[in-house]
Amino acid sequence: TVSWFDLVHEAARRVGVPCHGLARGSADEPPPSARRPRFSALGTSRSPVMPTLDSALDRFARLVTTPGPGASLVPACVPR
């Protein structure tokens, strides 16, 4: 199981986006604009049929750092 913070931190690290501005949040903090469940970790019971998270993050990093149509999906904060 991976937290949203861990996922964002690792994805940003792999594409070269500085992570010093990221802050781990808590379900006990004031709610953001949308309601969030107390426990929202990322996980699946279908892991035998899905690629690993590491593989998915590698593919994401290749997609967003390689010029081409997929690069347009990347927010402007990703260095190119």
Side-chain angles (χ1 to χ4, degrees), residues 19-73:
C19 300
H20 61 272
L22 294 176
R24 188 178 299 272
S26 167
D28 296 327
E29 294 175 3
S33 59
R35 294 183 64 153
R36 304 283 189 250
R38 183 168 284 292
F39 180 76
S40 62
L42 303 173
T44 182
S45 60
R46 297 171 19 171
S47 61
V49 297
M50 295 182 69
T52 65
L53 179 59
D54 197 47
S55 170
L57 287 170
D58 284 344
R59 286 181 286 122
F60 167 77
R62 277 194 308 276
L63 175 70
V64 301
T65 58
T66 303
S72 65
L73 302 173

Side-chain angles (χ1 to χ4, degrees), residues 4-22 53-55 57-58 60-62 64-65 77-79:
W4 285 101
F5 175 85
D6 293 334
L7 176 66
V8 170
H9 187 272
E10 184 59 20
R13 186 190 68 75
R14 289 184 190 224
V15 297
V17 173
C19 300
H20 61 272
L22 294 176
L53 179 59
D54 197 47
S55 170
L57 287 170
D58 284 344
F60 167 77
R62 277 194 308 276
V64 301
T65 58
C77 66
V78 176

